[in-house]
Each structure stands twice: as structure tokens, then as C-alpha cells.
Amino acid sequence: MSRAVLVELGAVAHAPIARSYATLIERSLDEHAALVALAGAEALIRKDGWYDAFRTGPALAAAVADAEARGRDFGVRFDVLDGDGVARLEPHLTERMAGAVHWSDTWTVREPAALVAAYADAFVAAGGTLVQGEAAVPRAAGAGWRVMAGARPIEAAEVVIATGPWAAGMTRALGYRLPLFVKRGYHMHYAGEPGRPLGNWLADLETGYLLAPMRKGIRLTTGAELALQDAPATPRQLALDEAVARRMFPLGARLDPAPWMGSRPCTADMLPVIGPAPRHRGLWFAFGHGHQGLTLGPVTGRLLAEMITGEAPVVNPRPFFATRFV
């Protein structure tokens, strides 16, 4: 079979997945907006998009063609900057870019941990109870479920497994064999040079890293690493990206004692698993969001709440059911 045919078959298989995924993505900003307002967290959010920058004309042209396709298929808005436009946008770049694609609808977060904490505080203020502990596998208890959070037992009629990369082990203990794996990533914060700030989120896609102005400093985020979840950290990609980034922008000293590493929970078809556990009444799944856990958290929570309470769901949940794998 020729490569052209393989690519065509891949596009056909990917199309329905992309359409299903888009139903969640297109709701993500509205659901975050409601929580941001409830939590009073507006200062943590920027609404001026981000930029995919390219060093060469052919790479920029291919990216523009891809952006135009996304615009036609999904209504995604974007602008295109030439090299002079990128230089005006970020005057402290030390390398010349051919241009950039500006995704104008995108929101960015100045400090993700602070945003999650603000959401949690708002939940408690609204009457919710927050219990912290190392959760064990849910066990049937009467008409519902018991979860041990450390030494504390918690019983409920409905339980949601939303444990990210740890969901694989928890669901396996309950008899499920879902095709889950992790993609690991690394990041590091750097000091900026006085008078030479980075103004925008900027991805150097021909190399494979992102620079982002955060509260803590300038964050460099790497691409994906395929590895076992518990394998030792191998931040070689970060070191290679940092060397390239320092040629493009005046990064200062490293600010973190060690690179941060996270495991992104992924599924074989890259759609999250959201919905009822196929063989356990009152048990629900919400994991497998890959790189988009923070982005899709609020809409996932709403969708689950609507299914649990019997309300009309905000989007069609069936493409995300675990039954597609069971």
C-alpha cells in the first residue's frame, strides 16, 4: 500500500474523531469563563491568543494552509504575520522569523496551579467539601461506593474516576482493559533580562518548544516524550530546546531547581473517556484528555454532572463512552 493511500485512510479515520473532539473544545472557553467569574480569577487569564512562529517560508506556507482548513471546517479564527510583523510583535527576538500564525481566540493562563486553586476555593465557598488524600480504588458499598482518601472512608451513590494517568491502574483493578498510555513533557522557568521582556506565547514549531510569559518567569515547554509513566526522567529534550531558544530569545538563569515533568493521560484514539463505567452502576469515568486536561476540565465536569443528574447533556457524550473500547 502506498504512502499516499495510507495518508488518505488516516485522514478518513481522523475526521469523525476531530468532529467529536471539537464539540468539547468549542465549549471550553464558555465553561472556563463561568468558573473564572465565580472564582474572581480574571487576573490569571489572558485573551490575546498565541503565536506559532516559523523560521522558513515553506513551513509557514504549510501552516497557513492548515489554518485555512481549520477555519473552513471548524470556524477557527487566525491572523498571519510576516517576518516584519513578528519582529514588531516581539522586538527582543534575536533571530529572524519568516512569519507566524496567530490563533486569536485562544486564552492563556498566567499560572495554572493558581487557577485550579481559585476554582477549588470557589467550590468550597459555594458549599462544596474538599477532602485531600491518596485515593484508593473505589469499592462497592451497599447501594453505592466507598473510596478511601488516605485513612478516611467516603461513601457516595456516584463516584467519578478522574485520576489522569493513574486512571489506567484504577480501572484495571476494576476489570477494565482500556488502551491508555502517557505522553510525558518537561518545562523550566527562566529569568528575563531587564528591559527585554517576552510579550506573548510563542511556539517555535520547526524546533518543537514553546516560550510563555508566566507569573514565575519565562516558561519553556518541550514536545512530547513517549515513555512509561514511572520511568526515570530524561530531560534531554529540554536541554536541546533550551540551547535553540537561547539563540532566539535572551533567556536568563534557570529558576527551578529541577525540570518539571508531567505525564499526560492519552487514549488510543486521542479522545477522552467520559461517561458511565460499562459494567458498574454509579461509577463514572473522566480521563484521557492528553495535553488538554486543564482546557477541557470544566466542560467535562458539566457533561458528567448532566449525565449523572439526568439532564440534557451540553454535547453528545456517546463518542467519549468507554464502550468504544470494551
Side-chain angles (χ1 to χ4, degrees):
M1 185 177 293
S2 71
R3 182 179 182 275
V5 173
L6 285 173
V7 170
E8 183 177 354
L9 289 175
V12 170
H14 180 260
I17 292 173
R19 287 194 295 269
S20 296
Y21 198 88
T23 65
L24 295 176
I25 289 291
E26 67 187 8
R27 293 289 316 177
S28 61
L29 292 186
D30 288 341
E31 300 303 327
H32 269 289
L35 291 181
V36 167
L38 182 66
E42 289 83 358
L44 293 171
I45 303 296
R46 286 182 54 170
K47 301 180 181 180
D48 48 5
W50 86 357
Y51 296 81
D52 289 341
F54 297 90
R55 298 167 177 274
T56 64
L60 175 64
V64 172
D66 180 64
E68 290 171 344
R70 296 190 200 189
R72 288 193 304 269
D73 295 342
F74 300 106
V76 179
R77 297 193 302 175
F78 68 96
D79 305 307
V80 180
L81 281 69
D82 60 13
D84 290 340
V86 175
R88 288 191 296 270
L89 177 77
E90 295 291 348
H92 305 298
L93 293 182
T94 50
E95 287 187 320
R96 173 78 176 184
M97 296 288 118
V101 175
H102 173 213
W103 303 103
S104 53
D105 289 334
T106 302
W107 291 9
T108 56
V109 183
R110 297 177 186 273
E111 188 177 349
L115 182 66
V116 173
Y119 286 172
D121 290 344
F123 169 73
V124 173
T129 300
L130 183 64
V131 178
Q132 292 182 293
E134 186 173 348
V137 176
R139 300 298 181 189
W145 294 88
R146 175 181 294 135
V147 176
M148 297 299 296
R152 177 177 176 178
I154 301 173
E155 294 190 0
E158 315 278 348
V159 170
V160 178
I161 294 179
T163 51
W166 294 275
M170 298 185 87
T171 55
R172 192 175 301 116
L174 292 163
Y176 296 95
R177 294 294 184 269
L178 303 175
L180 302 172
F181 66 100
V182 300
K183 289 196 294 182
R184 306 197 310 184
Y186 301 83
H187 75 228
M188 171 63 67
H189 290 96
Y190 300 82
E193 290 191 4
R196 304 178 75 183
L198 177 71
N200 298 273
W201 285 50
L202 191 68
D204 181 358
L205 290 191
E206 286 176 272
T207 301
Y209 66 89
L210 170 75
L211 292 180
M214 309 293 284
R215 277 187 165 184
K216 189 175 179 180
I218 299 172
R219 177 182 291 180
L220 188 157
T221 301
T222 71
E225 175 191 58
L226 295 177
L228 295 177
Q229 183 178 348
D230 297 327
T234 56
R236 182 171 180 270
Q237 186 181 155
L238 177 69
L240 294 172
D241 286 340
E242 179 184 319
V244 177
R246 286 189 180 280
R247 295 197 297 269
M248 185 181 78
F249 186 82
L251 295 175
R254 288 188 171 194
L255 298 178
D256 302 320
W260 175 91
M261 184 189 76
S263 296
R264 289 86 173 240
C266 302
T267 65
D269 61 6
M270 297 309 292
L271 288 177
V273 178
I274 308 170
R279 299 190 295 272
H280 294 85
R281 182 178 178 84
L283 185 66
W284 301 81
F285 293 160
F287 48 77
H289 294 73
H291 295 249
Q292 305 298 326
L294 178 64
T295 299
L296 297 178
V299 68
T300 296
R302 174 174 174 173
L303 182 57
L304 273 174
E306 289 167 342
M307 286 189 284
I308 291 171
T309 59
E311 298 178 53
V314 65
V315 302
N316 176 17
R318 292 199 170 273
F320 314 111
F321 282 4
T323 48
R324 71 187 192 270
F325 298 131
V326 177

